[in-house]
Amino acid sequence: MVFLPVIPMDRIALNERKATGSTANISFRHEDKIYISASGTCFGTLKEEEFAVLDLKGEHIAGPKPSKEAPLHLLMYQKKGSGAVIHTHSFYSTLWSCLPHESMIDIMPEHTPYLKMKLGKVGLIPYAPPGSRELFGLFEEHMEGSDGYLLQNHGPVVGAASMMDAFYAIEELEESARIAWSLRQVDALIC
């Protein structure tokens, strides 16, 4: 198997509140294969042998059972040309995904310039149950015009050229959502 790209898994995992338990998934592309964390794995303890191997069409060709959300990752590779994809259920991003938004194409306010610099526009994907065909269909239907995504009432999906770029983007998305939520609370107190 291919060695995992160097990523700060401890920063993504529990101590940064980006992922808890076994609720997130991560993948990367190497040549003509996709390596995705197996179903039920934990970022904080993820090992090389806990990655499933898929071809570019999504066929499982080696390793353990892939995450049930592998089709989200595949769409990021096929439609966005990503080299790595991270999906978490991080607190503030998920919280922000639960609110009503005027635009589905870019739902994050620009309180700082960094989210646009690291990721771009963040679209909202309407709710459907995790791992469902309905979710995958909605994701594909609403990908256009956005660079990263919040699955409504679920969490973020971010792709980038490299694993580190995807990590920096999802970290910036979570921080931007935290700032937006905090400022929303301040506005509520002032009014």
Side-chain angles (χ1 to χ4, degrees), residues 103-136:
S103 168
M104 302 266 301
I105 293 174
D106 193 10
I107 67 168
M108 291 303 304
E110 285 190 65
H111 294 302
T112 72
Y114 304 108
L115 182 61
K116 293 292 188 245
M117 292 166 54
K118 296 282 184 192
L119 180 59
K121 294 179 181 177
V122 178
L124 182 66
I125 307 299
Y127 180 78
S132 68
R133 289 182 192 262
E134 181 185 4
L135 175 61
F136 308 143

Side-chain angles (χ1 to χ4, degrees), residues 163-180:
M163 187 62 75
M164 285 308 299
D165 289 340
F167 167 72
Y168 292 141
I170 206 158
E171 189 172 53
E172 192 59 49
L173 174 53
E174 179 65 3
E175 189 64 12
S176 294
R178 186 180 68 80
I179 291 167

Side-chain angles (χ1 to χ4, degrees), residues 79-153:
K79 305 279 185 182
K80 295 292 184 177
S82 299
V85 177
I86 301 174
H87 166 52
T88 69
H89 303 147
S90 50
F91 182 80
Y92 287 101
S93 295
T94 302
L95 192 62
W96 197 256
S97 79
C98 296
L99 299 174
H101 300 281
E102 289 180 24
S103 168
M104 302 266 301
I105 293 174
D106 193 10
I107 67 168
M108 291 303 304
E110 285 190 65
H111 294 302
T112 72
Y114 304 108
L115 182 61
K116 293 292 188 245
M117 292 166 54
K118 296 282 184 192
L119 180 59
K121 294 179 181 177
V122 178
L124 182 66
I125 307 299
Y127 180 78
S132 68
R133 289 182 192 262
E134 181 185 4
L135 175 61
F136 308 143
L138 287 168
F139 190 71
E140 184 171 21
E141 181 182 335
H142 292 275
M143 289 180 83
E144 191 66 36
S146 302
D147 305 297
Y149 307 92
L150 288 180
L151 306 175
Q152 191 172 35
N153 299 65

